[in-house]
Amino acid sequence: MGATGAQGGGLVRAILDDPSGRFAARALTRDPGSARARELAALGAEVVGADLNDEGSLRKAFDGAHGAFVVTNFWEPRTPEEERARPATTKEQEQAGNAARAGQEAGVRHFVWSTLSDTRGYFRPGDGTPSFEGSYKVPHADGKAEADRFFLESGVPTTFMQANVYYEAFRDMFAPRRDETGALVLPLGFGEARVAAHAAEDVGRTALGIFRRGIGMAGRRVSVAGSVLTGAQYAAALSQALGEPVTYQAVSPDMIRAAGFPGAGEVGNMLQYLIAAAPDIAELIDFELLRELNPKLQSFDTWLAAHRDTIPR
């Protein structure tokens, strides 16, 4: 699923680039005629139309497949009317349920479900942080965590894969900026925590490694990371890559929540979670396993060496 997005597209390309040719890639997309879908077809993928909101289309698309990578998009653009009728968390859980049931009925033998951790245990009752859609603190994470149950209930061997911060965020949302003196600063809400990050393409490569390992990976939770660094360490790596000093500037989650941009409350909560949960997130990361699954796993330094020219200055 999500074959024209970052995660699913990365897996399609990883399969097509695999010299062993062990797997063929079936790229599922709502619009097989889109430019990205046509590009995947030209590379050798079998492009098939399917919609996560339509369980029947998924059942047909999964027919004959060995495994299925399932990812849902919380951030999919929708109208205010659509959001009111079906909040994004509800949409994601319904879509996950559709995929799990369709895969079970079609005889899929291995799921890799792109999920996240439930953040709510890291917030104290009455701490003043906002809640969304009822009880969620970080809806795009908490809702996916709740949807894990559909894959467990399906009985299909499932590996639960978790992405972290994308290195690509340092091109836009987390990009360094010039302060009033013209110096580069890196304003991030990481506090003093060590935050896990990775290249977008390493999600797909890791997923391929999981499928290659087989159903012995069932029940395991694999957290993808190429580096786990503090904000100051990310700034130091950027300094080295860009050839001029970049100074880390800690921004509190409260400041982010008060900024007023769309989604500021959830972003502030997400960063508060990353700070509070940092030791637990780091403990989940098994670098030895990740390098076995994905020998091309990139550190932040390695990624920057290839992409420094894409970082705004």
Side-chain angles (χ1 to χ4, degrees), residues 211-245:
F211 282 122
R212 288 171 63 89
R213 277 284 188 96
I215 61 173
M217 293 292 294
R220 296 193 65 168
R221 194 164 291 267
V222 177
S223 182
V224 183
S227 292
V228 183
L229 304 175
T230 64
Q233 289 171 324
Y234 282 114
L238 285 163
S239 299
Q240 181 69 29
L242 301 180
E244 65 174 297

Side-chain angles (χ1 to χ4, degrees), residues 29-283:
T29 175
R30 283 180 301 183
D31 183 6
S34 71
R36 287 185 178 181
R38 292 197 305 270
E39 180 183 345
L40 294 176
L43 292 172
E46 176 193 4
V47 177
V48 174
D51 189 333
L52 275 165
N53 295 306
D54 181 350
E55 186 175 332
S57 76
L58 295 175
R59 194 179 303 112
K60 291 178 182 177
F62 288 160
D63 185 50
H66 165 77
F69 175 81
V70 180
V71 60
T72 55
N73 183 7
F74 179 90
W75 306 106
E76 177 186 19
R78 298 193 298 155
T79 66
E81 292 75 20
E82 288 173 329
E83 183 62 36
R84 284 193 295 270
R86 188 169 67 147
T89 49
T90 302
K91 177 202 71 170
E92 282 199 294
Q93 291 185 29
E94 290 177 352
Q95 291 177 341
N98 288 341
R101 288 187 297 272
Q104 189 275 331
E105 292 169 6
V108 165
R109 286 179 281 172
H110 189 183
F111 275 127
V112 175
W113 159 233
S114 180
T115 186
L116 290 169
S117 293
D118 195 320
T119 70
R120 288 171 285 187
Y122 294 91
F123 294 84
R124 299 188 311 276
D127 64 2
T129 57
S131 296
F132 305 93
E133 298 179 25
S135 65
Y136 296 122
K137 288 297 183 180
V138 184
H140 76 270
D142 303 339
K144 282 188 178 68
E146 286 187 347
D148 289 358
R149 67 183 179 88
F150 296 111
F151 296 92
L152 293 169
E153 291 168 359
S154 75
V156 177
T158 299
T159 306
F160 301 87
M161 192 175 74
Q162 295 184 196
N164 286 288
V165 173
Y166 289 130
Y167 294 154
E168 286 77 4
F170 289 91
R171 293 170 169 168
D172 42 63
M173 182 186 299
F174 294 161
R177 293 166 172 78
R178 299 282 176 186
D179 66 12
E180 62 278 2
T181 71
L184 280 175
V185 296
L186 186 66
L188 292 179
F190 290 178
E192 301 304 315
R194 296 172 66 237
V195 174
H198 52 79
E201 63 188 339
D202 280 326
V203 177
R205 289 172 176 168
T206 302
L208 175 58
I210 292 170
F211 282 122
R212 288 171 63 89
R213 277 284 188 96
I215 61 173
M217 293 292 294
R220 296 193 65 168
R221 194 164 291 267
V222 177
S223 182
V224 183
S227 292
V228 183
L229 304 175
T230 64
Q233 289 171 324
Y234 282 114
L238 285 163
S239 299
Q240 181 69 29
L242 301 180
E244 65 174 297
V246 179
T247 303
Y248 174 55
Q249 187 179 79
V251 181
S252 75
D254 283 336
M255 291 175 63
I256 292 168
R257 281 187 285 258
F261 59 84
E266 179 172 358
V267 173
N269 281 5
M270 178 188 70
L271 292 166
Q272 182 166 325
Y273 159 74
L274 290 178
I275 294 169
D280 294 335
I281 294 171
E283 186 175 353

